[in-house]
Structures are given as C-alpha cells and as structure tokens.
Amino acid sequence: MDVTTEANAPWLIVGLGNPGPEYARNRHNVGFMVADLLAERIGGRFKRAGKAQAQVVEGRIGPPGPANRRVVLVKPMSYMNLSGGPVNALREFYKVPVAHVVAVHDELDIDYGALRLKLGGGDNGHNGLKSITKALGAEYHRVRFGIGRPPGRMPVADFVLKDFSSAERKELDYFVDRAADAVECLVIEGLERAQSTYNS
C-alpha cells in the first residue's frame, strides 16, 4: 500500500473564480482561465468532483523522473466567497498538505499582467482567499495575477466582475500562459526558483 508523505503528496492547484458563463471572462475569473490552460496542457477535462462543490482534473506535470509531480487542478463551483469549503474537502480527500495547495487569483494591488508568487500572508480583501484561509490557515502558496486598480471612482466589486478591456484582451492569452508556466515552475522547481523567474 502506498503511503502518502509530504514529498510524494499531490499538489492541489486551485483556480479561483465564479461559476457560470456570465462570469467566464471577468477579471475575477483569471484563476479559472489559468486552471483551464493547465488542464489543456496535461490533456485533461474538468469533471464534477463527487460531493465537493468543485470541478477537478487529475494528472501529472514535469519531465519523467523525480521532478514529475502529481497534481489535482480545482475550480470551486461554490462562488468565490465560499471557495474554502470545497478546497478543504478536496485537500482532505487527496491527502494534500496545506503547503502543497496553490491558489491562483486576481490581485488588485499589482499592475495588469504582472505576477507575484508567495507562501502565506494576508488576503488583501480578496473574498476567495479569505474563505480558503478560514478553512486551511494561511500557509498555502499564492500565484497573484495583477489586474490593476479600478479607474476613477469605479467600485472594486464592479471592476473585478467586469470583463477585461479590449486593450487588456490583446495580451491576456500571453499573461495567462505565463501564469500557467509560473504554477508549473513552483510545483516542479520550488517557490524560490519560481519567484526569481516570474515575480515582476
């Protein structure tokens, strides 16, 4: 019988967003966009995860050999502010240590398209992170995808639930691709290497 240790435990990569076509291209859903691309790369399709309010894809990333990693990609279907419940249920089901959880999310305090990777920290008012931290504690990894601040006096809630602008969309695929690369680097080569390569 295989015993799961921290070294061989799978990684839970959580793309944050809201379910439903009306939210699909919102700034708040960039985590889903990155998760979809990662699923495409490993040749998997998202499926409903048993009783958990989430969709998952299981697969492997990295070259054959010791750097190859088992991953579970997750898109919570509970709406952003309730993400913690499904994430923790899947973490327990797959026996994933909290340090092997990666949340990919939009970040207001970073310029559009810039990335910052970190372990632990606050939620910066992000409801998805708030919910996950409440369920798991704060010591999980984050891949923060910059969306910038709202223009003028636009309320933050309106800004994050709007689609990317036409100017932003020209570069969106490139930035999503780079964020997916950063997630792979984090899981395969570790946080320090991923930060030095992708933090901007």
mmCIF file of all heavy atoms in Angstrom, residues 3-11 60 65-71 94-100 187-188:
data_model
loop_
_atom_site.group_PDB
_atom_site.id
_atom_site.type_symbol
_atom_site.label_atom_id
_atom_site.label_comp_id
_atom_site.label_asym_id
_atom_site.label_seq_id
_atom_site.Cartn_x
_atom_site.Cartn_y
_atom_site.Cartn_z
ATOM 1 N N VAL A 3 2.084 4.817 0.869
ATOM 2 C CA VAL A 3 1.887 5.754 1.971
ATOM 3 C C VAL A 3 2.178 7.150 1.435
ATOM 4 O O VAL A 3 3.202 7.380 0.813
ATOM 5 C CB VAL A 3 2.836 5.421 3.145
ATOM 6 C CG1 VAL A 3 2.671 6.445 4.264
ATOM 7 C CG2 VAL A 3 2.547 4.018 3.662
ATOM 8 N N THR A 4 1.244 8.068 1.659
ATOM 9 C CA THR A 4 1.454 9.434 1.182
ATOM 10 C C THR A 4 2.295 10.199 2.190
ATOM 11 O O THR A 4 1.917 10.344 3.348
ATOM 12 C CB THR A 4 0.098 10.153 0.984
ATOM 13 O OG1 THR A 4 -0.660 9.418 0.033
ATOM 14 C CG2 THR A 4 0.296 11.561 0.455
ATOM 15 N N THR A 5 3.464 10.644 1.753
ATOM 16 C CA THR A 5 4.304 11.508 2.580
ATOM 17 C C THR A 5 4.255 12.897 1.962
ATOM 18 O O THR A 5 3.775 13.069 0.842
ATOM 19 C CB THR A 5 5.756 11.003 2.578
ATOM 20 O OG1 THR A 5 6.253 11.096 1.230
ATOM 21 C CG2 THR A 5 5.864 9.578 3.062
ATOM 22 N N GLU A 6 4.791 13.884 2.682
ATOM 23 C CA GLU A 6 4.781 15.249 2.121
ATOM 24 C C GLU A 6 5.518 15.288 0.790
ATOM 25 O O GLU A 6 5.107 15.960 -0.139
ATOM 26 C CB GLU A 6 5.396 16.243 3.114
ATOM 27 C CG GLU A 6 5.467 17.641 2.553
ATOM 28 C CD GLU A 6 5.015 18.727 3.518
ATOM 29 O OE1 GLU A 6 4.611 18.419 4.649
ATOM 30 O OE2 GLU A 6 5.076 19.878 3.111
ATOM 31 N N ALA A 7 6.621 14.538 0.686
ATOM 32 C CA ALA A 7 7.434 14.578 -0.534
ATOM 33 C C ALA A 7 6.672 14.058 -1.753
ATOM 34 O O ALA A 7 6.785 14.599 -2.845
ATOM 35 C CB ALA A 7 8.708 13.778 -0.325
ATOM 36 N N ASN A 8 5.882 12.983 -1.565
ATOM 37 C CA ASN A 8 5.198 12.426 -2.744
ATOM 38 C C ASN A 8 3.713 12.782 -2.794
ATOM 39 O O ASN A 8 2.973 12.302 -3.645
ATOM 40 C CB ASN A 8 5.404 10.897 -2.829
ATOM 41 C CG ASN A 8 4.660 10.141 -1.735
ATOM 42 O OD1 ASN A 8 3.848 10.714 -0.994
ATOM 43 N ND2 ASN A 8 4.923 8.850 -1.610
ATOM 44 N N ALA A 9 3.275 13.636 -1.883
ATOM 45 C CA ALA A 9 1.852 14.035 -1.876
ATOM 46 C C ALA A 9 1.540 14.837 -3.132
ATOM 47 O O ALA A 9 2.399 15.552 -3.657
ATOM 48 C CB ALA A 9 1.560 14.890 -0.647
ATOM 49 N N PRO A 10 0.309 14.739 -3.636
ATOM 50 C CA PRO A 10 -0.044 15.545 -4.799
ATOM 51 C C PRO A 10 -0.117 17.030 -4.448
ATOM 52 O O PRO A 10 -0.140 17.398 -3.272
ATOM 53 C CB PRO A 10 -1.434 15.020 -5.189
ATOM 54 C CG PRO A 10 -1.977 14.387 -3.963
ATOM 55 C CD PRO A 10 -0.809 13.918 -3.148
ATOM 56 N N TRP A 11 -0.147 17.854 -5.465
ATOM 57 C CA TRP A 11 -0.355 19.292 -5.323
ATOM 58 C C TRP A 11 -1.783 19.614 -5.728
ATOM 59 O O TRP A 11 -2.286 19.078 -6.714
ATOM 60 C CB TRP A 11 0.619 20.059 -6.221
ATOM 61 C CG TRP A 11 2.020 20.081 -5.685
ATOM 62 C CD1 TRP A 11 2.918 19.048 -5.716
ATOM 63 C CD2 TRP A 11 2.683 21.178 -5.052
ATOM 64 N NE1 TRP A 11 4.102 19.437 -5.137
ATOM 65 C CE2 TRP A 11 3.991 20.746 -4.721
ATOM 66 C CE3 TRP A 11 2.302 22.482 -4.734
ATOM 67 C CZ2 TRP A 11 4.916 21.568 -4.081
ATOM 68 C CZ3 TRP A 11 3.224 23.309 -4.109
ATOM 69 C CH2 TRP A 11 4.512 22.849 -3.781
ATOM 70 N N ARG A 60 -0.429 14.765 -14.273
ATOM 71 C CA ARG A 60 0.966 14.944 -13.848
ATOM 72 C C ARG A 60 1.588 16.059 -14.661
ATOM 73 O O ARG A 60 1.250 16.232 -15.833
ATOM 74 C CB ARG A 60 1.764 13.644 -14.051
ATOM 75 C CG ARG A 60 1.166 12.439 -13.326
ATOM 76 C CD ARG A 60 2.136 11.273 -13.323
ATOM 77 N NE ARG A 60 3.131 11.414 -12.274
ATOM 78 C CZ ARG A 60 2.998 10.940 -11.035
ATOM 79 N NH1 ARG A 60 1.920 10.287 -10.683
ATOM 80 N NH2 ARG A 60 3.949 11.110 -10.141
ATOM 81 N N GLY A 65 10.568 11.189 -14.314
ATOM 82 C CA GLY A 65 11.626 11.082 -13.309
ATOM 83 C C GLY A 65 11.248 11.773 -12.020
ATOM 84 O O GLY A 65 10.082 12.068 -11.779
ATOM 85 N N PRO A 66 12.242 12.096 -11.187
ATOM 86 C CA PRO A 66 11.951 12.629 -9.848
ATOM 87 C C PRO A 66 11.252 13.995 -9.851
ATOM 88 O O PRO A 66 10.614 14.364 -8.872
ATOM 89 C CB PRO A 66 13.323 12.717 -9.178
ATOM 90 C CG PRO A 66 14.330 12.586 -10.272
ATOM 91 C CD PRO A 66 13.681 11.861 -11.393
ATOM 92 N N ALA A 67 11.382 14.757 -10.936
ATOM 93 C CA ALA A 67 10.738 16.086 -10.976
ATOM 94 C C ALA A 67 9.273 16.015 -11.400
ATOM 95 O O ALA A 67 8.573 17.024 -11.404
ATOM 96 C CB ALA A 67 11.504 17.017 -11.910
ATOM 97 N N ASN A 68 8.812 14.814 -11.739
ATOM 98 C CA ASN A 68 7.417 14.662 -12.170
ATOM 99 C C ASN A 68 6.497 14.771 -10.962
ATOM 100 O O ASN A 68 6.758 14.183 -9.912
ATOM 101 C CB ASN A 68 7.261 13.305 -12.847
ATOM 102 C CG ASN A 68 5.951 13.190 -13.602
ATOM 103 O OD1 ASN A 68 5.010 12.598 -13.113
ATOM 104 N ND2 ASN A 68 5.890 13.754 -14.783
ATOM 105 N N ARG A 69 5.438 15.561 -11.081
ATOM 106 C CA ARG A 69 4.560 15.815 -9.932
ATOM 107 C C ARG A 69 3.117 15.451 -10.245
ATOM 108 O O ARG A 69 2.602 15.770 -11.316
ATOM 109 C CB ARG A 69 4.590 17.309 -9.558
ATOM 110 C CG ARG A 69 5.960 17.846 -9.191
ATOM 111 C CD ARG A 69 6.357 17.489 -7.765
ATOM 112 N NE ARG A 69 7.647 18.062 -7.414
ATOM 113 C CZ ARG A 69 8.809 17.436 -7.505
ATOM 114 N NH1 ARG A 69 8.842 16.180 -7.941
ATOM 115 N NH2 ARG A 69 9.939 18.022 -7.158
ATOM 116 N N ARG A 70 2.473 14.836 -9.250
ATOM 117 C CA ARG A 70 1.041 14.555 -9.356
ATOM 118 C C ARG A 70 0.281 15.814 -8.965
ATOM 119 O O ARG A 70 0.573 16.427 -7.930
ATOM 120 C CB ARG A 70 0.692 13.407 -8.398
ATOM 121 C CG ARG A 70 -0.672 12.774 -8.634
ATOM 122 C CD ARG A 70 -0.658 11.331 -8.168
ATOM 123 N NE ARG A 70 -0.380 11.213 -6.753
ATOM 124 C CZ ARG A 70 -1.318 11.017 -5.814
ATOM 125 N NH1 ARG A 70 -2.602 10.955 -6.145
ATOM 126 N NH2 ARG A 70 -0.989 10.881 -4.552
ATOM 127 N N VAL A 71 -0.665 16.226 -9.787
ATOM 128 C CA VAL A 71 -1.430 17.439 -9.488
ATOM 129 C C VAL A 71 -2.932 17.171 -9.601
ATOM 130 O O VAL A 71 -3.373 16.321 -10.369
ATOM 131 C CB VAL A 71 -1.056 18.625 -10.412
ATOM 132 C CG1 VAL A 71 0.386 19.055 -10.200
ATOM 133 C CG2 VAL A 71 -1.325 18.319 -11.871
ATOM 134 N N TYR A 94 -7.697 14.066 -1.041
ATOM 135 C CA TYR A 94 -6.463 13.693 -1.748
ATOM 136 C C TYR A 94 -5.235 13.660 -0.829
ATOM 137 O O TYR A 94 -4.124 13.426 -1.294
ATOM 138 C CB TYR A 94 -6.203 14.669 -2.906
ATOM 139 C CG TYR A 94 -7.136 14.472 -4.074
ATOM 140 C CD1 TYR A 94 -8.206 15.340 -4.297
ATOM 141 C CD2 TYR A 94 -6.961 13.412 -4.973
ATOM 142 C CE1 TYR A 94 -9.067 15.173 -5.369
ATOM 143 C CE2 TYR A 94 -7.818 13.228 -6.056
ATOM 144 C CZ TYR A 94 -8.867 14.110 -6.244
ATOM 145 O OH TYR A 94 -9.717 13.930 -7.318
ATOM 146 N N LYS A 95 -5.454 13.921 0.479
ATOM 147 C CA LYS A 95 -4.360 13.904 1.465
ATOM 148 C C LYS A 95 -3.227 14.864 1.065
ATOM 149 O O LYS A 95 -2.054 14.488 1.010
ATOM 150 C CB LYS A 95 -3.824 12.485 1.667
ATOM 151 C CG LYS A 95 -4.880 11.504 2.180
ATOM 152 C CD LYS A 95 -4.290 10.130 2.385
ATOM 153 C CE LYS A 95 -5.245 9.181 3.082
ATOM 154 N NZ LYS A 95 -6.541 9.010 2.415
ATOM 155 N N VAL A 96 -3.615 16.097 0.808
ATOM 156 C CA VAL A 96 -2.660 17.122 0.379
ATOM 157 C C VAL A 96 -2.273 17.993 1.577
ATOM 158 O O VAL A 96 -3.152 18.563 2.229
ATOM 159 C CB VAL A 96 -3.294 18.021 -0.717
ATOM 160 C CG1 VAL A 96 -2.353 19.156 -1.106
ATOM 161 C CG2 VAL A 96 -3.678 17.191 -1.939
ATOM 162 N N PRO A 97 -0.979 18.112 1.889
ATOM 163 C CA PRO A 97 -0.585 19.035 2.953
ATOM 164 C C PRO A 97 -0.886 20.477 2.535
ATOM 165 O O PRO A 97 -0.867 20.794 1.341
ATOM 166 C CB PRO A 97 0.930 18.809 3.098
ATOM 167 C CG PRO A 97 1.360 18.073 1.882
ATOM 168 C CD PRO A 97 0.172 17.423 1.261
ATOM 169 N N VAL A 98 -1.157 21.333 3.494
ATOM 170 C CA VAL A 98 -1.519 22.729 3.179
ATOM 171 C C VAL A 98 -0.430 23.406 2.342
ATOM 172 O O VAL A 98 -0.711 24.180 1.436
ATOM 173 C CB VAL A 98 -1.800 23.531 4.478
ATOM 174 C CG1 VAL A 98 -2.002 25.013 4.182
ATOM 175 C CG2 VAL A 98 -3.042 22.973 5.180
ATOM 176 N N ALA A 99 0.835 23.052 2.598
ATOM 177 C CA ALA A 99 1.940 23.659 1.846
ATOM 178 C C ALA A 99 1.962 23.231 0.375
ATOM 179 O O ALA A 99 2.707 23.793 -0.424
ATOM 180 C CB ALA A 99 3.273 23.327 2.507
ATOM 181 N N HIS A 100 1.154 22.237 0.012
ATOM 182 C CA HIS A 100 1.054 21.811 -1.393
ATOM 183 C C HIS A 100 -0.211 22.360 -2.066
ATOM 184 O O HIS A 100 -0.581 21.904 -3.139
ATOM 185 C CB HIS A 100 1.054 20.279 -1.494
ATOM 186 C CG HIS A 100 2.426 19.668 -1.467
ATOM 187 N ND1 HIS A 100 2.730 18.511 -2.127
ATOM 188 C CD2 HIS A 100 3.571 20.070 -0.860
ATOM 189 C CE1 HIS A 100 4.006 18.207 -1.921
ATOM 190 N NE2 HIS A 100 4.533 19.139 -1.143
ATOM 191 N N VAL A 187 5.623 24.233 -8.701
ATOM 192 C CA VAL A 187 5.391 22.846 -8.290
ATOM 193 C C VAL A 187 6.614 21.967 -8.562
ATOM 194 O O VAL A 187 6.967 21.103 -7.762
ATOM 195 C CB VAL A 187 4.124 22.305 -9.009
ATOM 196 C CG1 VAL A 187 3.994 20.810 -8.855
ATOM 197 C CG2 VAL A 187 2.880 23.009 -8.473
ATOM 198 N N ILE A 188 7.291 22.204 -9.692
ATOM 199 C CA ILE A 188 8.404 21.334 -10.087
ATOM 200 C C ILE A 188 9.721 21.777 -9.441
ATOM 201 O O ILE A 188 10.496 20.965 -8.947
ATOM 202 C CB ILE A 188 8.557 21.316 -11.627
ATOM 203 C CG1 ILE A 188 7.306 20.692 -12.283
ATOM 204 C CG2 ILE A 188 9.803 20.538 -12.053
ATOM 205 C CD1 ILE A 188 7.170 20.986 -13.768
#
